[in-house]
Amino acid sequence: MANSSRIQNVVPRPGFSALHRLRKKRKGQRVKDPLDDLLLKTLTSQRAMEERFLQMEERRFQRDLDVEERRMQLEQRRFELEREHEFRMFSVFAQMLSILKQSHSGSSSSVAMPRGVDFSQALSEIAGMGGGGGNLQDMRARLLTERRVDMYGFCNPSDFQRSPYLSARGNIANIFRGSTEEGYKAYHADKYDEDKNPNGIINFGTSENKLCFDLMSKRLKEQLTQTDMNLMEPPLLQYPDWKGHMFLREEVARFLTYYCKAPAPLKAENVIVLNGCGSLFSALATVLCDPGEAVLIATPFYGGITQSVFLYGNVKLVYAYLDSKITGTSTRPFQLTVEKLEKALQDARAEGVTVRALILLNPQNPLGDIYSLSELRDYLEFAKRHELHVIVDEIYMLSVFDESATFHSVLGMDRLPDPQRTHVMWGISKDFAVSGIRFGTLYTENQDVANAVASLCYFHGVCGPVQHKVAQLLRDRDWISQVYLRANHARLKAAHTYVTDELKTLGVPFLNRNAGFFVWIDFRKYLRTGTFEEEMLLWRRFLDNKVLLSCGKAFECSEPGWFRIIFADKTHRLQLGMQRIRKVLEEREQEILAEEKERPCQSDQDGKADSTDEVIFVSRHQEPTCAGSSNLGDLIGLLQQQMRSSDWLQKNTAEQFAQEKPEIYDVFSKLVGKQ
């Protein structure tokens, strides 16, 4: 019964087929709609546009691939430089392991420390060598294939022997010091003296202001006659507050408020006093980072920071490499950008390195750059996004010697993006030409950081009488502003002008900046090959000719051939030193020319800078102004450089000009004859 009803349900209804045929017939008779043609044309056009867009996308993608390929090549070069730096840093550990192993097993071969081995691990392995030397043997076997000595001539590891009087850590510190101070030791053994040693070494390598000794010595002598300068109250002879005597911290707060143009008075409780900014770097690295962690810094930078943060706290430095070419968002050579900081930070994190802080040098040593307010704000915002502490070294803040340049202190900003992670350093050694008086100060609103640093002030304190004298010096604001700074800036500017004019005469490119005691010079054309070994040979050539400079590798510069010269010196030493530099460069140029003549088929040398591809020239970085405001000396120097690097004079001789334009030549000849 159920089956029969189901069959009935599927039987077609009467008239269904006739109705279907009728609808089909009407559909076939329907008139074609004009909108169909329009829709067809629209769809066809859309398809053509899509195909055109896809073709454009393919071409853009191909361009992106080409750009990415070039970028990868640059990245590979940077990676190689970073590897070179790591090998150079950890070769110190390698020599210690080799020396200590030699004392146990008599082996004379050296090893390189593996990447990622930190100071504490090295010490633990050294300490355990007596009973468990198998681990060291395995490590040596694994690393012998990649053994490498990469000290760029600063030291020969075989020259160092393990001292039985030092711990393993002490031996490492001893080797570290010896590898970085060869030139400084040579200078102290053979100092130039106009009367006693006229053939001695002239020091253009140590960043000291030697132009204002007369002003400072006179002022200190005058103060010594005053009763308050000779004051020896009992508190000055007793243990102080480890942050510094309150009278000094109050004076420092007032001093920084005035010269940093702080929007509100700075507080004395945020001031800590130590015996120099090197000690401040050591203390901050120790309290902000754990062993093996890192601090981000742009290179080139003052190389002493490496030693300061490493020897105590075993804190590494992560480099944001700056280069001479203007690329991306850069507007000047060696410009620090947030993009470069981001890349360095992400690369470090990808390798498992924990970065805790960012170091900013303003004014920058060795470049002489002064960061604008917008740049400072961008750097601080970057650090805030990544929860990084920012250590700002402003030790040259009063050594901006040109009125066209304006220094902006972090303490002068209306609002700090992250006040609890912003720490500012300053000292008197540079701005007041008293590098022998060890005094540095830290300003931080973070009391946890202040108290942690203060606990280390026990080892880095400033004695009471010196604190009293520094307070008296900083209090004398009229003398500082009206007498000292005016004279200091005028002398710095005159010395800078003399050295840069000499460089322009030689046709040597350099960065023309307005702060600090130094000029960043491009000696790449005097290198036979673009390597740091060649740079070191040139550095030794200068030293052999009794002038001490600082080579770029000492500042971790990524491009071989850059040197720093200190110009804050007396005129007679500047003249003699530049004569010795000129002699070396002329000899080197003749040697390179002779070698090129012997190899006429080689028009270009590997690693030599291409003058048409470089943007470094003798110019001052300023905000855009009218063309007529250019410095005449800069234009003359640029013209000299262009004439040396082109064949314009060969193609445009006086005889050729006389043939092409005889009327003008006759007039010119008559004018010359009247002179």
Side-chain angles (χ1 to χ4, degrees), residues 136-193:
L136 180 60
Q137 290 285 3
D138 294 341
M139 183 179 67
R140 291 186 59 203
R142 185 175 67 252
L143 294 170
L144 280 176
T145 57
E146 52 182 294
R147 183 179 61 187
R148 182 173 181 172
V149 177
D150 202 4
M151 301 299 289
Y152 300 108
F154 280 107
C155 71
N156 183 358
S158 61
D159 294 340
F160 295 95
Q161 298 295 328
R162 179 182 183 276
S163 171
Y165 303 104
L166 297 176
S167 65
R169 183 165 48 191
N171 275 285
I172 291 174
N174 189 33
I175 293 177
F176 199 106
R177 181 181 184 277
S179 66
T180 58
E181 297 194 359
E182 178 185 346
Y184 195 61
K185 290 189 291 185
Y187 163 69
H188 277 282
D190 188 19
K191 279 187 181 182
Y192 168 84
D193 184 274

Side-chain angles (χ1 to χ4, degrees), residues 495-553:
H496 177 269
T497 300
Y498 173 79
V499 170
T500 54
D501 284 348
E502 289 291 308
L503 294 173
K504 293 172 187 176
T505 302
L506 292 170
V508 175
F510 61 92
L511 295 189
N512 200 2
R513 301 295 189 254
N514 308 303
F517 311 150
F518 27 76
V519 179
W520 191 236
I521 306 175
D522 182 4
F523 283 154
R524 285 179 291 180
K525 66 180 180 180
Y526 298 101
L527 303 185
R528 292 183 177 87
T529 58
T531 64
F532 287 107
E533 286 80 4
E534 272 292 306
E535 177 185 273
M536 195 62 200
L537 290 175
L538 182 58
W539 177 83
R540 290 187 183 279
R541 185 78 166 265
F542 285 125
L543 190 60
D544 291 341
N545 283 266
K546 301 303 180 71
V547 59
L548 174 63
L549 301 180
S550 298
C551 59
K553 191 59 186 177

Side-chain angles (χ1 to χ4, degrees), residues 577-630:
M578 292 305 297
Q579 289 175 10
R580 296 176 179 179
I581 291 175
R582 177 191 291 270
K583 177 176 178 292
V584 171
L585 296 181
E586 290 176 348
E587 291 176 352
R588 190 68 170 231
E589 193 169 22
Q590 292 299 321
E591 294 169 1
I592 293 175
L593 288 175
E595 293 175 0
E596 289 177 349
K597 289 180 180 179
E598 296 176 359
R599 301 191 303 271
C601 60
Q602 296 183 4
S603 58
D604 295 320
Q605 297 181 4
D606 294 338
K608 179 92 38 114
D610 182 0
S611 61
T612 63
D613 193 36
E614 295 296 329
V615 297
I616 297 297
F617 50 89
V618 285
S619 69
R620 177 181 292 107
H621 171 67
Q622 295 176 331
E623 297 299 324
T625 57
C626 61
S629 64
S630 298

Side-chain angles (χ1 to χ4, degrees), residues 67-82:
V67 172
E68 181 66 16
E69 184 178 357
R70 290 194 296 270
R71 190 187 69 82
M72 290 298 294
Q73 292 174 354
L74 292 175
E75 290 299 316
Q76 180 64 25
R77 173 59 179 159
R78 291 186 184 278
F79 177 75
E80 292 173 357
L81 291 173
E82 291 172 358

Side-chain angles (χ1 to χ4, degrees), residues 222-279:
E222 291 175 353
Q223 290 179 332
L224 286 176
T225 62
Q226 302 173 7
T227 56
D228 58 349
M229 281 299 291
N230 286 319
L231 187 66
M232 284 295 174
E233 294 290 341
L236 298 180
L237 305 177
Q238 297 171 348
Y239 289 124
D241 181 339
W242 295 120
K243 293 183 179 180
H245 283 291
M246 182 53 70
F247 67 80
L248 174 59
R249 294 160 62 197
E250 291 173 347
E251 201 58 55
V252 168
R254 287 190 288 266
F255 179 89
L256 295 179
T257 298
Y258 181 79
Y259 286 103
C260 295
K261 298 180 174 60
L266 301 178
K267 300 178 181 179
E269 56 264 30
N270 297 335
V271 174
I272 303 99
V273 173
L274 277 78
N275 60 344
C277 288
S279 298

Side-chain angles (χ1 to χ4, degrees), residues 338-350:
V338 172
E339 289 78 7
K340 295 173 183 176
L341 292 174
E342 288 277 6
K343 182 188 178 306
L345 178 63
Q346 297 307 325
D347 289 348
R349 288 178 172 174

Side-chain angles (χ1 to χ4, degrees), residues 10 88 224 375 417 420 561 615 656 670:
V10 298
R88 186 167 73 91
L224 286 176
E375 287 176 322
Q420 291 297 306
V615 297
Q656 181 181 355
K670 292 177 182 179

